[in-house]
Amino acid sequence: MAEHEESSGGVPPLDEEAAWAAIVAGYGQEPPDPPGTRPFRPIENLMLPEEDVKPEPKAPAAAEPAPEPQPEPKPAPKPELGSSITFAPGVGTPVPTPTPGPRDHTPAEPTDEGHFVPPEPELPEADTTAKFAWLAVIGGPVLLLLAVLFQWDMTWWLTTLGIGGFLGGFATLIARMSGDTDDDDDDPGRGAVV
């Protein structure tokens, strides 16, 4: 690359070739840790407190004499992963018997004493007029829908039967509904009767 002229402020130009050479020379080397950082803790030591963490052994130095071997104490059981965080005292410790909770409740078996079983409701018998009225209310729109789906010719009798049947059946059901209230004739409507 072309050499850059000296920038304003008296700062000498950056030697790009020397900077690239330093980067390439240091490729693959791990940079030193910044001051004040703690050493890396392996996963086996995550549950141990900070002061109990032993640093990773480094390459043995030739000048140091080898210490006398001491019998190793029994190894502590391996801590479970993910249990190094304690949210509250006692959390994460095994409980020998769980205390019963609301989901452990089972209702008592019901007894038949005093239990009321309602009888099956009896539907009133529909008379012939009501049956034909319901047939007209439902059958009229169904007939028109079938005529559209099967692309039948929409003749005057088909239209009259579909629309007229619906309107006639609906009017019949409404008229019969208001005629069934015979109880209103006995009530004078003047308040309570003693």
Side-chain angles (χ1 to χ4, degrees):
M1 297 193 90
E3 293 183 27
H4 298 287
E5 296 180 10
E6 188 173 317
S7 63
S8 63
V11 178
L14 177 66
D15 186 11
E16 292 182 14
E17 295 297 326
W20 279 108
I23 291 172
V24 170
Y27 182 75
Q29 295 177 357
E30 191 172 328
D33 290 335
T37 59
R38 293 181 287 174
F40 172 76
R41 293 174 59 185
I43 197 164
E44 291 82 23
N45 294 341
L46 285 179
M47 289 225 2
L48 297 176
E50 288 291 328
E51 58 272 358
D52 292 346
V53 175
K54 297 176 184 174
E56 290 289 321
K58 304 215 176 191
E64 294 180 18
E68 295 180 14
Q70 297 179 355
E72 293 185 12
K74 290 185 177 179
K78 280 193 165 186
E80 296 180 19
L81 292 180
S83 62
S84 62
I85 299 174
T86 302
F87 295 104
V91 173
T93 58
V95 179
T97 56
T99 58
R103 293 187 181 206
D104 297 329
H105 175 71
T106 55
E109 291 294 323
T111 60
D112 289 338
E113 294 178 17
H115 181 67
F116 174 73
V117 177
E120 290 292 324
E122 295 180 15
L123 296 177
E125 287 286 326
D127 59 342
T128 308
T129 307
K131 289 180 184 177
F132 276 111
W134 278 110
L135 180 66
V137 167
I138 295 172
V142 169
L143 179 66
L144 291 176
L145 182 66
L146 288 174
V148 170
L149 289 177
F150 292 122
Q151 298 177 354
W152 295 338
D153 290 335
M154 206 50 97
T155 59
W156 66 271
W157 63 267
L158 186 64
T159 307
T160 304
L161 191 61
I163 295 174
F166 173 75
L167 292 176
F170 187 74
T172 304
L173 288 175
I174 295 297
R176 290 178 57 86
M177 195 169 69
S178 64
D180 289 341
T181 56
D182 294 336
D183 298 337
D184 292 340
D185 298 336
D186 299 334
D187 184 22
R190 285 178 268 141
V193 177
V194 180

